[in-house]
Amino acid sequence: MVSRPETPAFKDQSPRTDGEAMVGTVYAAYVEGRRRPKDSSLEAGRLELLSAMSARLKSRLSAGDLLLISRCKRCCDASRSIADHANIDGARLLLNAARVFAGADELSDEARILCRSEIIPAHAYVEFRCRNFLQSRRLVRESLVVDQQLEEQYGYSGSHAHRLHLLTRMVALESRISGVKSGLQLSVQVFRYLTGKSESVPVPGNWGRKYKTAITPHLLRFFAVQLVGEIAAITTDPTKKRLASEALDGMDPEIFDCDDDFWRTQVLAWLRLKALSSSDVGPYLTCCATYLAQNSPKMPILWYTAALDAALACASFTSEESIRLRQEVVSDLARSRYLRPELQQAVSVLRKGLRRALATGCLPN
């Protein structure tokens, strides 16, 4: 493992725009930003929602219903997990096991619908990992209908949170079915809904302010960060980087003009930085250094994906700072639970470049 030497504090060197001259500044910014604490409020908001949903279930369902729902959910969660590791046959077996629990004769109608709300999106995710995107989209739309039924017929207001999560899946699917530009256009509409600038999204179902009453500001942040994670994933393809940059550059900043400055200082700042990623490397790295130093990994997906992009931009340089930056980003992200598989592939690109540098004797002592 590479030792992490003391690094001088970040100093704004924005007048310098030469790419290689900026690498050391980016590395210093990365080290400085990494020292800062992460924001636990996103996870707290998610756990608060899960607690409220659990209380709702316990107040309405029998112990037998709750047991079967729990077993169904465990199978669905496990199917997603092993699908990420390319064990598709195992994922399908787990989904079949979940369907057995959902089909139990003793299950109430309400509990059966709750099981479907677990099985259908898990099935959609497995199809997504198989690149069966049209089938996955059909299942996500079906899942949206089930969630709305839970909201409107059974009073599970928290189900709207799952519908917000499914919107991020729709963005991922739209980009793969109709192209990156179309996916990013849908993401704009989802951002508008999350920030309250719009009362609807171009996705089937009933939407609006009345459905968002159970969604706290922390949860809205959580889904915004999820959406940014999807945008990061769909813009990793280097052949589509310029198209993605143009689409992001055209995003109306007024969407993020909210009372909660998170939208401007975190989300909008990240999107603007991503839009610059296809620009000349010098000005881009200048902005990366400022972002990494000033924002810190309070929002891990945002900060670490920006760091990953910066490290990829530095891959053509052989200075000690460039290699140390790439080593540390690879090491940090190898332990991260925040990256989608597409971003893990980008980490693999960095790792291969470092191996080539090692083979040619370019690594620092």
Side-chain angles (χ1 to χ4, degrees):
M1 180 168 295
V2 177
S3 60
R4 290 178 175 171
E6 287 296 319
T7 307
F10 169 75
K11 295 180 180 179
D12 187 1
Q13 299 185 24
S14 53
R16 302 175 66 184
T17 57
D18 176 72
E20 191 149 18
M22 285 302 303
V23 173
T25 307
V26 172
Y27 176 56
Y30 180 76
V31 173
E32 179 173 317
R34 188 176 53 195
R35 292 192 185 111
R36 297 178 180 173
K38 297 178 177 63
D39 187 347
S40 61
S41 65
L42 295 184
E43 184 65 12
R46 187 182 73 87
L47 293 175
E48 182 181 336
L49 173 70
L50 292 176
S51 177
M53 286 289 288
S54 177
R56 177 75 176 170
L57 289 169
K58 290 177 181 177
S59 72
R60 293 180 58 85
L61 301 175
S62 68
D65 278 347
L66 293 172
L67 178 62
L68 288 168
I69 290 171
S70 175
R71 289 174 175 173
C72 177
K73 184 180 187 326
R74 283 202 296 271
C75 289
C76 292
D77 290 345
S79 73
R80 290 187 185 90
S81 179
I82 66 173
D84 276 339
H85 294 87
N87 186 354
I88 301 301
D89 289 341
R92 294 194 188 283
L93 286 173
L94 284 163
L95 287 173
N96 286 336
R99 293 185 183 102
V100 171
F101 293 125
D105 291 339
E106 63 269 31
L107 206 61
S108 69
D109 290 343
E110 182 176 337
R112 205 177 307 280
I113 294 171
L114 285 160
C115 283
R116 290 187 68 220
S117 75
E118 296 287 348
I119 294 169
I120 298 170
H123 186 189
Y125 188 77
V126 172
E127 296 299 337
F128 181 87
R129 298 263 44 104
C130 294
R131 302 185 65 81
N132 297 330
F133 299 132
L134 289 173
Q135 170 73 344
S136 182
R137 184 172 65 180
R138 184 190 67 77
L139 289 164
V140 169
R141 287 173 172 169
E142 185 179 349
S143 185
L144 285 164
V145 172
V146 172
D147 282 340
Q148 186 171 313
Q149 184 180 9
L150 288 171
E151 282 183 82
E152 295 181 344
Q153 294 184 22
Y154 295 96
Y156 288 95
S157 57
S159 291
H160 196 69
H162 190 246
R163 286 210 282 160
L164 295 181
H165 164 71
L166 291 176
L167 289 180
T168 69
R169 303 303 306 146
M170 289 295 288
V171 168
L173 287 160
E174 184 66 21
S175 70
R176 287 158 178 82
I177 294 170
S178 303
V180 169
K181 185 175 181 180
S182 183
L184 292 175
Q185 288 172 342
L186 178 57
S187 75
V188 171
Q189 299 303 314
V190 177
F191 275 131
R192 289 181 59 83
Y193 186 72
L194 292 176
T195 59
K197 303 294 184 182
S198 174
E199 291 294 304
S200 64
V201 287
V203 173
N206 296 330
W207 304 90
R209 196 178 305 275
K210 70 176 184 178
Y211 291 98
K212 291 167 62 178
T213 54
I215 310 301
T216 66
H218 286 320
L219 271 176
L220 290 175
R221 289 183 176 194
F222 178 83
F223 292 117
V225 170
Q226 271 198 342
L227 183 53
V228 166
E230 291 293 354
I231 292 173
I234 66 179
T235 55
T236 54
D237 186 343
T239 64
K240 299 175 182 177
K241 182 175 285 189
R242 184 165 295 280
L243 179 64
S245 293
E246 290 173 355
L248 291 171
D249 191 45
M251 197 172 286
D252 185 359
E254 187 179 347
I255 296 171
F256 307 98
D257 186 14
C258 306
D259 292 336
D260 185 352
D261 67 358
F262 157 81
W263 296 96
R264 292 186 299 275
T265 63
Q266 298 290 335
V267 177
L268 181 59
W270 186 93
L271 292 168
R272 283 176 167 169
L273 184 63
K274 189 70 176 179
L276 288 172
S277 62
S278 66
S279 305
D280 292 340
V281 69
Y284 172 61
L285 291 180
T286 300
C287 294
C288 281
T290 301
Y291 180 90
L292 293 173
Q294 292 182 355
N295 286 281
S296 80
K298 290 180 69 176
M299 304 291 169
I301 291 178
L302 279 66
W303 196 82
Y304 277 112
T305 53
L308 176 58
D309 282 342
L312 289 167
C314 292
S316 61
F317 304 125
T318 57
S319 65
E320 179 173 331
E321 291 90 347
S322 169
I323 292 174
R324 286 198 185 279
L325 174 65
R326 285 179 279 155
Q327 284 178 311
E328 295 188 23
V329 168
V330 166
S331 177
D332 290 341
L333 292 183
R335 300 187 296 271
S336 174
R337 59 188 177 89
Y338 302 110
L339 292 188
R340 294 191 55 75
E342 295 87 348
L343 296 172
Q344 292 169 1
Q345 292 171 12
V347 174
S348 296
V349 171
L350 274 183
R351 188 179 292 112
K352 290 176 183 177
L354 286 168
R355 287 173 181 163
R356 287 194 296 270
L358 177 61
T360 56
C362 293
L363 285 175
N365 295 323

